[in-house]
Amino acid sequence: EPELRTINLYGDITEQKGADVVAALLYLENTSHSPVLEDPTDPGSTPIVVARSVAMMISTHGGVASDMFSILDIMDMVKKRTCDIETFGIGKVMSAGVPILAAGTKGKRKVGRNCRIMLHNVMSGTGGTIFSMENELEEIKWVQDRYIETLASYTKLTPSKIKKLLKTQKDVYISAEEAIKMGIADEII
Protein backbone atom coordinates (compact mmCIF):
# COMPACT_ATOMS: atom_id res chain seq x y z
CA GLU A 1 0.00 0.00 0.00
CA PRO A 2 1.52 3.36 -1.01
CA GLU A 3 2.18 5.85 1.78
CA LEU A 4 -0.53 8.43 2.47
CA ARG A 5 0.47 12.10 2.89
CA THR A 6 -1.92 14.31 4.86
CA ILE A 7 -3.15 17.89 4.65
CA ASN A 8 -5.18 19.24 7.58
CA LEU A 9 -7.93 21.72 6.80
CA TYR A 10 -9.13 22.78 10.24
CA GLY A 11 -10.84 26.04 11.08
CA ASP A 12 -12.25 28.78 8.89
CA ILE A 13 -11.45 28.79 5.19
CA THR A 14 -9.66 32.12 4.84
CA GLU A 15 -7.27 33.53 2.27
CA GLN A 16 -4.29 32.34 4.34
CA LYS A 17 -5.80 28.88 4.92
CA GLY A 18 -6.60 28.59 1.20
CA ALA A 19 -3.03 29.57 0.32
CA ASP A 20 -1.65 27.01 2.80
CA VAL A 21 -3.83 24.19 1.43
CA VAL A 22 -3.03 25.06 -2.21
CA ALA A 23 0.70 25.15 -1.42
CA ALA A 24 0.48 21.80 0.38
CA LEU A 25 -1.45 20.23 -2.52
CA LEU A 26 1.11 21.46 -5.05
CA TYR A 27 4.02 20.30 -2.90
CA LEU A 28 2.50 16.84 -2.40
CA GLU A 29 1.69 16.63 -6.10
CA ASN A 30 5.33 17.34 -6.96
CA THR A 31 6.47 14.63 -4.55
CA SER A 32 3.72 12.13 -5.30
CA HIS A 33 5.69 9.63 -7.36
CA SER A 34 8.00 7.19 -5.67
CA PRO A 35 9.81 4.25 -7.18
CA VAL A 36 8.85 0.91 -5.73
CA LEU A 37 11.55 -1.69 -5.44
CA GLU A 38 11.69 -4.19 -8.22
CA ASP A 39 9.80 -7.46 -7.76
CA PRO A 40 11.91 -9.50 -5.29
CA THR A 41 10.81 -12.75 -6.99
CA ASP A 42 12.15 -11.43 -10.32
CA PRO A 43 15.60 -9.85 -9.77
CA GLY A 44 15.76 -8.49 -13.33
CA SER A 45 12.42 -6.69 -13.17
CA THR A 46 12.19 -2.94 -13.68
CA PRO A 47 11.17 -0.79 -10.70
CA ILE A 48 7.70 0.67 -11.12
CA VAL A 49 6.63 4.15 -10.10
CA VAL A 50 3.59 4.48 -7.86
CA ALA A 51 1.61 7.68 -7.33
CA ARG A 52 1.03 8.19 -3.62
CA SER A 53 -2.39 9.51 -2.60
CA VAL A 54 -3.00 12.70 -0.68
CA ALA A 55 -5.31 12.61 2.33
CA MET A 56 -7.18 15.75 3.34
CA MET A 57 -8.65 15.90 6.86
CA ILE A 58 -11.49 18.45 6.95
CA SER A 59 -13.15 20.00 10.00
CA THR A 60 -14.46 23.50 9.32
CA HIS A 61 -17.37 25.87 9.83
CA GLY A 62 -16.74 27.07 6.25
CA GLY A 63 -15.46 30.40 5.11
CA VAL A 64 -14.81 32.56 2.07
CA ALA A 65 -16.19 31.23 -1.23
CA SER A 66 -13.31 32.48 -3.41
CA ASP A 67 -10.80 30.66 -1.19
CA MET A 68 -12.94 27.50 -1.35
CA PHE A 69 -12.95 27.74 -5.15
CA SER A 70 -9.14 28.11 -5.23
CA ILE A 71 -8.78 24.90 -3.19
CA LEU A 72 -11.31 23.08 -5.41
CA ASP A 73 -9.59 24.11 -8.64
CA ILE A 74 -6.22 22.83 -7.41
CA MET A 75 -7.77 19.61 -6.06
CA ASP A 76 -9.32 18.95 -9.48
CA MET A 77 -6.02 19.68 -11.23
CA VAL A 78 -4.03 17.36 -8.94
CA LYS A 79 -6.59 14.54 -9.32
CA LYS A 80 -6.52 14.92 -13.09
CA ARG A 81 -2.73 15.17 -13.47
CA THR A 82 -1.18 13.17 -10.70
CA CYS A 83 -2.85 11.34 -7.84
CA ASP A 84 -6.00 10.57 -5.89
CA ILE A 85 -7.14 12.82 -3.07
CA GLU A 86 -8.85 11.05 -0.18
CA THR A 87 -11.07 13.36 1.84
CA PHE A 88 -12.07 12.76 5.46
CA GLY A 89 -14.88 14.82 7.02
CA ILE A 90 -14.47 14.80 10.78
CA GLY A 91 -16.21 16.76 13.52
CA LYS A 92 -17.95 19.34 11.36
CA VAL A 93 -17.95 20.05 7.64
CA MET A 94 -20.05 23.09 6.95
CA SER A 95 -20.77 25.61 4.21
CA ALA A 96 -17.65 26.05 2.03
CA GLY A 97 -16.20 22.84 3.47
CA VAL A 98 -18.90 20.61 1.95
CA PRO A 99 -17.78 20.89 -1.71
CA ILE A 100 -14.18 20.31 -0.57
CA LEU A 101 -15.19 17.05 1.11
CA ALA A 102 -17.24 16.05 -1.95
CA ALA A 103 -14.36 16.97 -4.33
CA GLY A 104 -12.23 14.07 -3.15
CA THR A 105 -11.64 11.14 -5.50
CA LYS A 106 -14.90 9.22 -5.86
CA GLY A 107 -14.80 6.07 -3.75
CA LYS A 108 -12.24 7.70 -1.41
CA ARG A 109 -14.42 10.29 0.33
CA LYS A 110 -14.99 9.37 3.98
CA VAL A 111 -16.97 10.91 6.79
CA GLY A 112 -16.88 10.34 10.54
CA ARG A 113 -19.97 8.71 12.01
CA ASN A 114 -20.42 11.71 14.32
CA CYS A 115 -19.56 14.39 11.77
CA ARG A 116 -22.19 17.09 11.21
CA ILE A 117 -22.47 18.43 7.70
CA MET A 118 -24.26 21.69 7.03
CA LEU A 119 -25.35 23.55 3.91
CA HIS A 120 -26.75 27.07 3.75
CA ASN A 121 -27.18 29.96 1.34
CA VAL A 122 -24.26 32.22 0.56
CA MET A 123 -24.02 34.98 3.14
CA SER A 124 -22.73 38.51 2.72
CA GLY A 125 -22.96 41.94 4.17
CA THR A 126 -22.81 45.04 2.02
CA GLY A 127 -23.36 48.74 2.25
CA GLY A 128 -22.78 51.86 0.25
CA THR A 129 -24.70 53.36 -2.63
CA ILE A 130 -27.62 51.55 -4.20
CA PHE A 131 -25.48 50.98 -7.30
CA SER A 132 -22.65 49.33 -5.35
CA MET A 133 -25.18 47.18 -3.45
CA GLU A 134 -26.81 46.09 -6.74
CA ASN A 135 -23.34 45.19 -8.05
CA GLU A 136 -22.59 43.17 -4.88
CA LEU A 137 -25.96 41.40 -5.15
CA GLU A 138 -25.12 40.28 -8.69
CA GLU A 139 -21.80 38.88 -7.45
CA ILE A 140 -23.49 37.09 -4.52
CA LYS A 141 -25.97 35.51 -6.94
CA TRP A 142 -23.09 34.35 -9.16
CA VAL A 143 -21.29 32.81 -6.15
CA GLN A 144 -24.50 31.09 -5.00
CA ASP A 145 -25.15 29.65 -8.48
CA ARG A 146 -21.52 28.52 -8.84
CA TYR A 147 -21.59 26.93 -5.35
CA ILE A 148 -24.72 24.97 -6.30
CA GLU A 149 -23.34 23.88 -9.70
CA THR A 150 -20.04 22.86 -8.13
CA LEU A 151 -21.63 20.85 -5.33
CA ALA A 152 -23.93 19.13 -7.84
CA SER A 153 -20.95 18.20 -10.03
CA TYR A 154 -19.31 16.25 -7.18
CA THR A 155 -22.43 14.60 -5.72
CA LYS A 156 -25.64 12.75 -6.58
CA LEU A 157 -27.59 15.98 -5.98
CA THR A 158 -28.99 17.99 -8.87
CA PRO A 159 -28.89 21.79 -8.81
CA SER A 160 -32.68 21.81 -8.34
CA LYS A 161 -32.44 19.47 -5.30
CA ILE A 162 -29.77 21.69 -3.75
CA LYS A 163 -31.88 24.82 -4.40
CA LYS A 164 -34.87 23.08 -2.77
CA LEU A 165 -32.77 22.24 0.32
CA LEU A 166 -31.57 25.85 0.53
CA LYS A 167 -35.03 27.39 0.00
CA THR A 168 -35.80 26.85 3.68
CA GLN A 169 -33.68 29.95 4.40
CA LYS A 170 -32.03 28.16 7.34
CA ASP A 171 -29.02 25.94 7.93
CA VAL A 172 -29.56 22.39 6.64
CA TYR A 173 -27.85 19.79 8.85
CA ILE A 174 -27.01 16.42 7.32
CA SER A 175 -25.93 13.22 9.09
CA ALA A 176 -23.06 11.03 7.89
CA GLU A 177 -25.59 8.50 6.55
CA GLU A 178 -27.49 11.20 4.64
CA ALA A 179 -24.20 12.54 3.24
CA ILE A 180 -23.52 9.12 1.74
CA LYS A 181 -27.01 8.90 0.21
CA MET A 182 -26.49 12.36 -1.31
CA GLY A 183 -23.06 11.44 -2.72
CA ILE A 184 -21.16 13.97 -0.59
CA ALA A 185 -19.12 11.07 0.82
CA ASP A 186 -18.73 7.38 0.01
CA GLU A 187 -18.30 5.67 3.36
CA ILE A 188 -18.39 6.17 7.11
CA ILE A 189 -15.12 5.79 9.04
Side-chain angles (χ1 to χ4, degrees):
E1 181 72 19
E3 145 192 8
L4 200 60
R5 290 97 35 77
T6 305
I7 296 171
N8 293 316
L9 175 51
Y10 294 102
D12 294 341
I13 299 168
T14 61
E15 185 172 11
Q16 184 61 57
K17 183 74 70 174
D20 292 346
V21 170
V22 164
L25 280 165
L26 293 173
Y27 172 78
L28 293 177
E29 178 189 30
N30 288 330
T31 60
S32 67
H33 290 85
S34 62
V36 173
L37 295 177
E38 59 189 48
D39 183 350
T41 61
D42 181 6
S45 66
T46 306
I48 56 172
V49 175
V50 176
R52 298 178 292 167
S53 294
V54 171
M56 187 180 292
M57 308 302 282
I58 305 161
S59 183
T60 179
H61 284 107
V64 181
S66 57
D67 300 311
M68 170 201 68
F69 287 132
S70 70
I71 293 168
L72 290 172
D73 288 345
I74 299 304
M75 287 176 72
D76 287 342
M77 182 186 78
V78 168
K79 288 186 307 182
K80 185 177 179 180
R81 290 194 326 195
T82 315
C83 63
D84 289 344
I85 298 176
E86 298 184 37
T87 51
F88 296 82
I90 53 175
K92 65 200 170 295
V93 178
M94 302 180 172
S95 187
V98 178
I100 294 172
L101 171 62
T105 300
K106 285 200 182 347
K108 297 186 176 190
R109 303 168 303 169
K110 299 169 179 76
V111 64
R113 181 169 308 287
N114 298 305
C115 182
R116 293 301 282 167
I117 295 168
M118 187 269 287
L119 297 171
H120 65 150
N121 286 294
V122 171
M123 295 168 32
S124 176
T126 186
T129 68
I130 186 133
F131 303 108
S132 63
M133 288 190 295
E134 284 174 347
N135 189 47
E136 286 301 307
L137 182 57
E138 284 179 37
E139 181 62 14
I140 294 164
K141 286 179 182 178
W142 181 89
V143 170
Q144 175 85 1
D145 290 343
R146 192 71 200 120
Y147 177 86
I148 290 168
E149 290 168 18
T150 300
L151 186 58
S153 74
Y154 296 127
T155 66
K156 296 175 185 171
L157 298 169
T158 62
S160 61
K161 281 185 184 176
I162 297 168
K163 286 177 187 174
K164 188 176 180 181
L165 280 170
L166 297 177
K167 272 206 190 302
T168 61
Q169 302 289 318
K170 60 185 177 186
D171 296 345
V172 179
Y173 288 91
I174 300 165
S175 68
E177 294 80 8
E178 291 169 315
I180 289 169
K181 286 180 190 161
M182 294 176 173
I184 294 169
D186 304 303
E187 67 179 276
I188 294 175
I189 53 174

